[in-house]
Amino acid sequence: MKIKITFISLLTSFLCLAQSKEIDTKPELKTETIEKNYDIKNEIYEEKYVLINGIEQWVTIKGNPSKPIILFIHGGPGSTISPYIDVLYKDLEKDFIIVQWDQRGAGRTYGRNSPPEELTPEYLKSNPLTLEQMTSDGVCVSEYLLKHLGKQKIILAGTSWGSSLGVKIVSKRPDLFYAYVGHSQIVSPGINLELYTKIYKMAEDRNDKESLEILNTIGKPPYSRAKSCGLLFKVLKKYERANSTPAPNNWFQLSPDYDNEIDEKNREDGDDYSFVNYVGDDKLGVQSMISTINLMRDNLDFKIPVYLIQGNEDIMTPKENSKKYFDKIKAPKKEYFLLPKAAHGFNQSVVETQYKIFKSIKTL
């Protein structure tokens, strides 16, 4: 039986180095991807699988080889940015090496390691995602990049789910990084009555019968099924979009290399797989990664500069939570950027603020 979930995208060191080697194999039928490696003057362009903690994971490296590395930790979990990078961050490539990593359970990494047929309850139960495992993956990816590209440190940028993972990575191995840049920072991402009530009131104020029907059907949290969480997020995203400035239409048009049935299936199934692991599902026997995240309790002390970018209209990770967390953080340097007309996702002001921060970070 295939799993079908209502999903709304939100996404030891010696051992790591030993396992982080490039894989030069012919693409398997189920992925049909082509590994590329172009070394042009003043430009690096690599797309390939890298062995990270025992599985092949998809990594893309593009930009100016003489410049610092930025490693982006995508949100979701499961919402890879690799298919959109040629538009979204193209302008950064002259000043940085831009690295995208399809995390365990997402995109092409999921496709490379997924079940041969369909995503089943049995596969979900026997292949859990954990924050600890993915943190270890992130450290290993970082070590691989430093060795492979001959650099000293990395700028790490995380968004949404990637912001919680990013904090865990830089906390575990601060020596690998110049700075941490968090966007839509997750602090303690419980799906609680306060969030439900806030969304319900928005729907009532607008006499939004469609959204009220969804909210009444799923009822108040806590939820035992991932589908209920997905439906709540569907209404949430509707109101975030209504109150914020959207990203340009061309930002999230698929790159031609990713515009095919196989990659589409891997993205969709990876989204479902990752999301169930993120919120949990009692019937499927899948534990929630959300329940393991409490940065206010576990991650207040940083040995590197910290920059947080917050959308004023963000409902998913509201400014009240991220600002409270920011105020408690101890770091050599910290800055907080509250952006009007920005919500949980990307828009022009978010990317411009990221670029401003990246350029300001001392990388010598």
Side-chain angles (χ1 to χ4, degrees):
M1 178 181 67
K2 182 181 179 182
I3 302 297
K4 198 62 186 173
I5 301 152
T6 301
F7 172 77
I8 303 299
S9 293
L10 311 168
L11 110 137
T12 75
S13 66
F14 291 108
L15 178 61
C16 291
L17 282 173
Q19 292 181 322
S20 297
K21 62 180 181 179
E22 298 173 24
I23 304 299
D24 294 316
T25 60
K26 294 182 180 179
E28 297 176 7
L29 181 60
K30 67 179 178 181
T31 56
E32 291 187 359
T33 54
I34 299 173
E35 298 181 3
K36 301 178 181 179
N37 188 334
Y38 302 145
D39 188 6
I40 307 170
K41 184 179 181 181
N42 297 326
E43 183 180 356
I44 186 171
Y45 186 105
E46 298 182 8
E47 296 181 322
K48 61 195 172 190
Y49 289 101
V50 177
L51 187 62
I52 299 295
N53 282 335
I55 70 169
E56 296 176 40
Q57 304 197 31
W58 184 251
V59 177
T60 69
I61 305 172
K62 303 178 183 181
N64 188 330
S66 68
K67 301 297 184 179
I69 303 168
I70 303 174
L71 171 58
F72 286 90
I73 311 296
H74 65 72
S79 301
T80 59
I81 299 296
S82 304
Y84 314 104
I85 191 64
D86 287 339
V87 175
L88 186 57
Y89 288 119
K90 186 66 177 178
D91 290 345
L92 292 179
E93 291 180 14
K94 64 181 183 297
D95 295 311
F96 299 96
I97 301 172
I98 305 301
V99 178
Q100 294 290 336
W101 160 46
D102 286 12
Q103 299 162 24
R104 184 182 295 256
R108 286 186 170 177
T109 297
Y110 175 82
R112 195 73 158 186
N113 302 281
S114 63
E117 298 298 332
E118 302 288 357
L119 175 58
T120 63
E122 293 74 23
Y123 183 84
L124 272 166
K125 194 169 183 178
S126 60
N127 293 273
L129 288 178
T130 68
L131 185 58
E132 292 76 18
Q133 177 65 73
M134 297 179 78
T135 300
S136 177
D137 287 352
V139 170
C140 289
V141 169
S142 301
E143 290 183 323
Y144 163 77
L145 292 171
L146 293 175
K147 183 178 181 182
H148 177 61
L149 298 171
K151 301 293 184 179
Q152 297 300 310
K153 294 187 179 184
I154 293 169
I155 298 169
L156 188 124
T159 188
S160 187
W161 148 258
S163 70
S164 56
L165 181 56
V167 164
K168 294 296 183 179
I169 292 168
V170 300
S171 296
K172 186 173 183 178
R173 288 295 306 277
D175 57 300
L176 303 179
F177 303 100
Y178 288 116
Y180 167 68
V181 182
H183 164 234
S184 297
Q185 181 66 52
I186 283 178
V187 180
S188 182
I191 300 171
N192 53 37
L193 181 60
E194 181 182 0
L195 177 64
Y196 177 89
T197 302
K198 183 176 183 177
I199 299 169
Y200 198 98
K201 187 176 187 308
M202 289 179 174
E204 276 191 324
D205 290 346
R206 292 160 179 79
N207 194 28
D208 182 352
K209 295 180 180 179
E210 179 184 3
S211 294
L212 288 170
E213 182 178 357
I214 292 173
L215 295 171
N216 286 324
T217 298
I218 63 176
K220 299 175 181 178
Y223 301 121
S224 62
R225 302 303 311 276
K227 182 177 180 179
S228 298
C229 300
L231 288 168
L232 179 67
F233 289 167
K234 178 180 179 180
V235 180
L236 181 155
K237 298 303 290 184
K238 176 180 181 179
Y239 287 113
E240 282 194 344
R241 288 193 299 269
N243 297 321
S244 60
T245 301
N249 290 333
N250 69 322
W251 276 16
F252 296 105
Q253 292 178 1
L254 287 170
S255 169
D257 285 350
Y258 293 84
D259 191 7
N260 59 76
E261 290 184 5
I262 292 174
D263 273 312
E264 181 180 1
K265 182 179 187 301
N266 290 336
R267 286 193 299 272
E268 290 180 354
D269 286 353
D271 279 351
D272 284 352
Y273 169 74
S274 297
F275 186 70
V276 174
N277 276 278
Y278 182 61
V279 300
D281 192 293
D282 290 351
K283 185 175 181 179
L284 296 173
V286 179
Q287 297 297 311
S288 161
M289 287 198 290
I290 282 179
S291 63
T292 67
I293 302 172
N294 188 336
L295 304 190
M296 187 69 77
R297 179 192 64 203
D298 300 331
N299 299 97
L300 292 173
D301 294 323
F302 291 81
K303 299 185 183 301
I304 60 175
V306 173
Y307 305 84
L308 298 187
I309 302 170
Q310 173 69 46
N312 190 63
E313 307 303 328
D314 189 338
I315 304 170
M316 182 76 74
T317 54
K319 58 188 176 185
E320 292 80 8
N321 291 0
S322 66
K323 187 59 166 63
K324 183 179 179 181
Y325 178 57
F326 174 82
D327 289 341
K328 292 284 187 178
I329 284 173
K330 295 179 180 179
K333 178 180 180 179
K334 62 179 186 178
E335 290 189 62
Y336 187 88
F337 300 81
L338 182 62
L339 306 184
K341 304 304 290 183
H344 189 71
F346 294 91
N347 69 5
Q348 190 71 49
S349 66
V350 170
V351 172
E352 288 177 353
T353 303
Q354 286 180 320
Y355 185 67
K356 174 184 175 182
I357 294 170
F358 296 151
K359 290 290 288 181
S360 73
I361 294 171
K362 294 181 180 180
T363 55
L364 299 178

